Amino acid sequence: MTAALAGIRVLDVATLFAGPLAATLLGDFGAEVIKIEHPRGDPARGHGPQREGAGLWWKMLGRNKKSVTLYLGSADGQRIFRRLVADADVVIENFRPGTLERWGLGYPALREINPRLVLARVTGFGQIGPHAHRPGFGTLAEAMSGFAAMTGEPDGPPTLPPFGLADGIAALTTAFAVLTALRARERDGVGQQVDLAIIEPILALLGPQLIAYDQLGELPQRLGNRSSNNAPRNVYRTGDGGWVAVSTSTESIAARVLRLVGRPELVDEPWFATGTGRAAHADELDAAVSRWIAARTTDEVVREFDKAEAAVAPIYTAADIFDDPQYRALGTITALPDDELGQVRMQNVLFRMSGTPGGIRWTGPALGAHTAEVLGQYGVGAAELNRLRAAGVVR
């Protein structure tokens, strides 16, 4: 079957991590993604865990991409980039605002070359405003969005996530924005510029914190693993040393949990009927649930919750994810051949489509693996390629 995004050509000139991940998601569903790297390589190649000198994060982030080295700060690099832009559908970049303009590659210039181009600009703070010039990473968005302020133990400091949460949310949003712009292009015949600030998508997902402050003057408090909206909601230690998470977002689920753990009388309390009422009695509810769970193994807890049609999940590590039958049934983890590492396993595409499924065609390639192939399509022959290599424009 033809992939959903087959025929869409994406130039990925972004680094670390929102922009490149957005390009990865598009590539997973068939877009041709040309990863344009500085001749010294994308920083993601050296980021995170390594095996035998190969960056494992890159193997995932660079999948389905063709690696082309090109120094855009040079006149030769800019000239060749303009050739690539001429028949591209999308450019994804995350340079500081003004950088593309300084190179003569701002949106007005690119639009003259290709009026149908969609330029997605992914930066920490967006293209305008007093902070636009600042270097921006997902950590700053996690801080400025209110996420860190509401995360952590009540008596502890604001807490940051141990992974690129804001970058990941921004990547998903960027992919959505690109597809939205392409749909508009299908209707109107012209492309457009997308300005995405990493500080914004995470803010949109943090629930009613802004409207609650606007209307009630309330600020969310750090509650650890508890919730201000319902209870019991926490992680609990099992009798064999494992951990499980329990969620009771509805009254009916909460009632099933309390009956299961031997406290049915609490279900009849007037405060039990609302999530906020239960949250106000979280100490009592947690005590009941934790005592019952602590007397049983993890497998017993999950089995009994399943029988009661109550919501529970074991706290997994990566090792547990590989062994889980539900993930196996979904095909969430896929095994792929890799030129450097042999077989590798990683997360599969994000969702399943019955008619035009996505897929991973190859893992993150070696630096410049496709430079000659791709640039050759734009008139860069062997002699010119040698000259560009000698000048440090390509590798």
Side-chain angles (χ1 to χ4, degrees):
M1 297 179 185
T2 301
L5 300 181
I8 299 297
R9 177 169 289 185
V10 178
L11 304 181
D12 172 12
V13 296
T15 59
L16 299 179
F17 277 101
L21 181 55
T24 302
L25 300 176
L26 298 173
D28 282 352
F29 287 90
E32 179 189 11
V33 180
I34 299 172
K35 174 68 180 180
I36 297 178
E37 304 183 61
H38 191 285
R40 64 173 172 260
D42 189 298
R45 291 180 178 275
H47 208 85
Q50 310 274 312
R51 181 188 164 202
E52 299 173 5
L56 301 182
W57 203 335
W58 167 255
K59 292 298 181 183
M60 186 176 118
L61 189 66
R63 70 193 198 187
N64 291 334
K65 299 181 182 181
K66 296 179 178 179
S67 173
V68 172
T69 56
L70 191 64
Y71 176 44
L72 295 181
S74 68
D76 279 331
Q78 294 155 15
R79 173 177 54 81
I80 294 171
F81 184 70
R82 292 187 185 97
R83 292 189 205 172
L84 295 171
V85 164
D87 65 354
D89 296 285
V90 179
V91 171
I92 300 176
E93 67 96 6
N94 69 340
F95 297 108
R96 287 202 208 181
T99 301
L100 283 187
E101 286 75 11
R102 190 170 68 249
W103 291 339
L105 301 174
Y107 185 62
L110 299 183
R111 186 173 54 194
E112 283 188 19
I113 300 168
N114 182 354
R116 291 174 55 81
L117 182 73
V118 172
L119 174 63
R121 314 191 76 169
V122 185
T123 57
F125 303 101
Q127 297 295 308
I128 60 173
H131 301 335
H133 68 284
R134 294 181 181 177
F137 297 100
T139 298
L140 308 188
E142 290 144 12
M144 291 180 64
S145 64
F147 173 86
M150 67 171 67
T151 304
E153 294 300 322
D155 57 352
T159 301
L160 297 167
F163 67 103
L165 176 63
D167 277 311
I169 296 171
L172 288 163
T173 309
T174 301
F176 169 63
V178 165
L179 294 178
T180 302
L182 289 174
R183 174 63 183 91
R185 185 185 75 173
E186 181 182 307
R187 182 191 64 205
D188 302 332
V190 293
Q192 59 185 293
Q193 178 174 259
V194 174
D195 177 8
L196 190 138
I198 297 174
I199 58 174
E200 291 183 302
I202 187 173
L203 181 62
L205 296 188
L206 287 179
Q209 63 159 343
L210 294 184
I211 194 170
Y213 182 74
D214 175 63
Q215 296 296 305
L216 303 172
E218 294 179 355
L219 293 172
Q221 303 301 305
R222 290 192 288 282
L223 300 171
N225 290 311
R226 286 181 172 177
S227 169
S228 60
N229 301 312
N230 61 77
R233 191 268 197 178
N234 214 324
V235 296
Y236 305 91
R237 189 81 165 180
T238 62
D240 59 353
W243 291 91
V244 295
V246 172
S247 178
T248 58
S249 296
T250 65
E251 182 188 355
S252 61
I253 295 291
R256 291 172 198 165
V257 171
L258 269 296
R259 292 188 182 109
L260 174 65
V261 303
R263 295 297 304 275
E265 75 280 3
L266 294 177
V267 178
D268 298 324
E269 293 287 346
W271 48 262
F272 197 88
T274 67
T276 52
R278 295 193 302 276
H281 292 78
D283 287 344
E284 185 175 6
L285 295 173
D286 269 347
V289 174
S290 62
R291 276 196 299 269
W292 187 90
I293 288 176
R296 290 160 177 82
T297 67
T298 303
D299 287 344
E300 288 173 326
V301 170
V302 172
R303 185 167 58 249
E304 293 303 313
F305 265 71
D306 193 36
K307 287 180 184 177
E309 297 184 354
V312 71
I315 304 295
Y316 274 176
T317 66
D320 300 313
I321 292 168
F322 278 118
D323 290 336
D324 182 79
Q326 181 61 32
Y327 281 129
R328 284 201 298 271
L330 293 172
T332 306
I333 309 300
T334 186
L336 302 157
D338 181 81
D339 291 341
E340 294 178 283
L341 301 176
Q343 180 176 275
V344 298
R345 292 182 293 173
M346 66 176 66
Q347 299 95 316
N348 208 337
V349 299
L350 282 178
F351 46 85
R352 289 154 296 283
M353 298 178 72
S354 62
T356 54
I360 303 173
R361 302 178 295 284
W362 62 83
T363 59
L367 178 61
H370 303 91
T371 299
E373 172 197 331
V374 172
L375 297 190
Q377 298 170 13
Y378 294 88
V380 179
E384 185 177 7
L385 199 61
N386 288 335
R387 181 183 68 79
L388 293 170
R389 284 193 177 116
V393 178
V394 303
R395 176 171 171 172

